Amino acid sequence: ELGMTGDSSLMGSSQEDEELEADVTRAFDARVQPNIRTAIVEEIKDEEIEGHSKQVFLCRLLSILAGFLVVCAVLIPVTLLLVNSPTPLEPKPTAAPEETMSPSMSQAPSRAPSVSPTGRPWEHYHDILLSDPEGAIVRTSIDHVGNLLAVASVARKGHVILIQFDPDDEISVVGEIIIDLPPDAGSPSGIIVKMTDDKQAVAVAIPYVDGNGRVYVYRQLSADAPWALAVNLTDADADPLFGQTMDMSEDGRRLAVAVGNEVRVYNLTMDPPIQLGQSMPFSSRTNLPRVVSISNRFLGIGEYRERANSNLNTSCIGTGLNTNCGKPAVAFYELIGTGWSSLMRDHQNTLDNGGPFHALGSNGTVVALTTGRDFVRAYELGFSEQTGTSFAEAYFGPLGSNDLPLGGELDGEETISLSMLQDRHIAMAWEQQAAVYDLESGLWVQRGDMIPFESAGAPTVGLFGDSGHLLALVADGDDGSNVTSVLIFRLSASGGD
């Protein structure tokens, strides 16, 4: 500013002015410019620090936001699943019960009384009368497939009638089989009848008090054709108890029959039939109850297994059956190659707490009297999970969450008859009464009220019809009577559903 005023009085010497201007410039450069540069550098540094802080803040903000999104992605599906799930999420068991391959006590069905009977009541609407003027009827047996009922009786002759029930439950006789017994056969002690699912084969077993028991198999090739004898099977040793208990598979290819102290299975597709596999011995005495069953897959043998060191005697049935006569049991076998092998490797290959009275359903289901003789239990076949090199093990677990009560323990000489239909209907008859149960939402519920009836013989029950709405009960007459009857019940058209 001093050199730029334009006053002529100060224009004396230009050289001095130039020197003065140079001194001022040097002084300015020496004192002011370093400060300016320092300020500028510091300002740049502050801006860099501020920019770095903003970057750090922004990175942290993005990290927090990313973490929040991850947490939401995990929690939202779980929350929705918990809200939509009707029950708490729990792991399902995959392993079979330990050791015995059967349910533990905590897994066993409840023994609480069943709920009150529901559904329409049963009405008695028809009787099928059987008579033989030539002699007293010894025993009556029934079997059923769909709406077809087979009724067999034996006196001087064996007699089988086949009765069809139409959709309106009207009855008609559609077949009859007369069995002429050998004159020297002795006195028959009973009769058992079985049918195949296709209704084209009927097997009839007639054991004897003495003489030679027999099993007959009849076939019908068409609905209009007569029933023809296809098999006349007996024991070469003339065993009177041949046919004491008998069953035929659904397809009619296998026949299981008790022969004295053993069970044999025959291949009915061969002519003559040949034995399948080895004979399976009974461990109980011949006077004790025995029940044999067979399906397309399994062979079942129910008996009272003798205990080691037990003092069994011929009167044990009437003097404490459970404690004196051995353990009730049902053992199951399957045909592997040319021999019968135990179906279950553990628990001595028997039902847990079941036997000897039992009946096979389809698809590996069983209904059996419990060993305490006070409840009936339904079972279904299952397999353990295969782990490592071990193979899956078979076992029978409970079908349904409750047992079926009998209202008390069966007396020593009392028996029970069981019938299972479509794996969800069970009929049972004992001590002059019968009951029917249906499986509903995992619970066995009694259908209708108890059904009283009178019979001088062992109870025999059959549940049949397309929906299990028909019930047959055998009412044997007193000893020496030549008349017996089969009582037919059906669900009433009235009553609550």
Side-chain angles (χ1 to χ4, degrees), residues 85-141:
S85 297
T87 57
L89 296 177
E90 297 179 355
K92 295 183 179 180
T94 55
E98 297 180 358
E99 296 184 357
T100 64
M101 302 300 292
S102 56
S104 64
M105 292 303 295
S106 62
Q107 295 173 312
S110 168
R111 294 229 162 171
S114 63
V115 297
S116 300
T118 60
R120 302 186 303 254
W122 294 94
E123 64 173 354
H124 178 198
Y125 86 105
H126 193 79
D127 286 344
I128 300 172
L129 298 178
L130 304 173
S131 63
D132 189 334
E134 298 182 5
I137 294 179
V138 178
R139 187 72 65 198
T140 305
S141 175

Side-chain angles (χ1 to χ4, degrees), residues 374-392:
D374 54 351
F375 284 86
V376 166
R377 179 177 296 177
Y379 303 81
E380 61 180 341
L381 180 66
F383 293 89
S384 65
E385 184 179 11
Q386 183 174 350
T387 57
T389 58
S390 63
F391 293 97

Side-chain angles (χ1 to χ4, degrees), residues 121-385:
W122 294 94
E123 64 173 354
H124 178 198
Y125 86 105
H126 193 79
D127 286 344
I128 300 172
L129 298 178
L130 304 173
S131 63
D132 189 334
E134 298 182 5
I137 294 179
V138 178
R139 187 72 65 198
T140 305
S141 175
I142 58 176
D143 195 23
H144 47 84
V145 175
N147 290 325
L148 183 64
L149 179 69
V151 180
S153 63
V154 61
R156 296 295 180 183
K157 295 182 178 182
H159 189 195
V160 180
I161 56 174
L162 301 171
I163 303 170
Q164 181 72 42
F165 292 76
D166 67 16
D168 296 325
D169 297 334
E170 296 295 329
I171 296 174
S172 59
V173 176
V174 295
E176 185 175 18
I177 300 172
I178 302 296
I179 305 173
D180 292 320
L181 306 182
D184 57 346
S187 302
S189 60
I191 191 168
I192 301 173
V193 62
K194 297 292 179 181
M195 281 193 300
T196 56
D197 280 356
D198 62 7
K199 307 175 185 179
Q200 294 183 354
V202 173
V204 182
I206 303 178
Y208 286 81
V209 177
D210 49 20
N212 194 1
R214 292 178 180 272
V215 175
Y216 305 89
V217 179
Y218 293 84
R219 298 191 184 278
Q220 186 184 42
L221 300 180
S222 65
D224 297 331
W227 288 89
L229 179 64
V231 175
N232 185 349
L233 194 62
T234 188
D235 180 44
D237 297 329
D239 189 337
L241 293 179
F242 187 89
Q244 177 190 29
T245 175
M246 178 272 292
D247 196 14
M248 183 169 55
S249 62
E250 307 97 309
D251 58 9
R253 301 172 67 90
R254 296 177 178 180
L255 178 80
V257 58
V259 184
N261 285 317
E262 63 186 25
V263 176
R264 299 177 191 168
V265 178
Y266 292 91
N267 183 355
L268 295 181
T269 66
M270 305 298 291
D271 188 17
I274 62 173
Q275 185 173 343
L276 278 175
Q278 75 278 22
S279 298
M280 308 297 294
F282 284 113
S283 66
S284 62
R285 298 176 182 268
T286 57
N287 66 312
L288 297 180
R290 296 168 169 177
V291 180
V292 64
S293 59
I294 195 166
S295 68
N296 296 341
R297 299 175 61 188
F298 311 121
L299 167 67
I301 300 176
E303 61 175 329
Y304 285 89
R305 291 188 170 183
E306 292 188 14
R307 292 189 178 95
N309 303 321
S310 63
N311 295 320
L312 297 180
N313 55 71
T314 56
S315 61
C316 66
I317 280 189
T319 58
L321 188 60
N322 291 328
T323 57
N324 296 337
C325 295
K327 176 180 174 55
V330 184
F332 289 95
Y333 305 89
E334 58 182 340
L335 188 65
I336 298 179
T338 59
W340 294 100
S341 298
S342 296
L343 179 63
M344 299 175 288
R345 298 183 182 181
D346 293 334
H347 203 56
Q348 297 182 343
N349 187 40
T350 59
L351 284 182
D352 180 36
N353 194 36
F357 301 101
H358 71 281
L360 284 177
S362 57
N363 303 317
T365 56
V366 185
V367 57
L369 177 69
T370 57
T371 54
R373 296 173 61 83
D374 54 351
F375 284 86
V376 166
R377 179 177 296 177
Y379 303 81
E380 61 180 341
L381 180 66
F383 293 89
S384 65
E385 184 179 11

Side-chain angles (χ1 to χ4, degrees), residues 47-63:
E47 291 178 355
E48 291 177 350
I49 292 172
E50 183 179 358
H52 179 69
S53 299
K54 290 181 178 179
Q55 291 179 356
V56 171
F57 174 76
L58 183 59
C59 290
R60 290 179 177 177
L61 182 61
L62 291 176
S63 298

Side-chain angles (χ1 to χ4, degrees), residues 451-473:
I451 306 170
F453 71 102
E454 295 182 1
S455 176
T460 304
V461 65
L463 185 66
F464 63 107
D466 294 334
S467 59
H469 69 289
L470 297 172
L471 184 75
L473 291 166

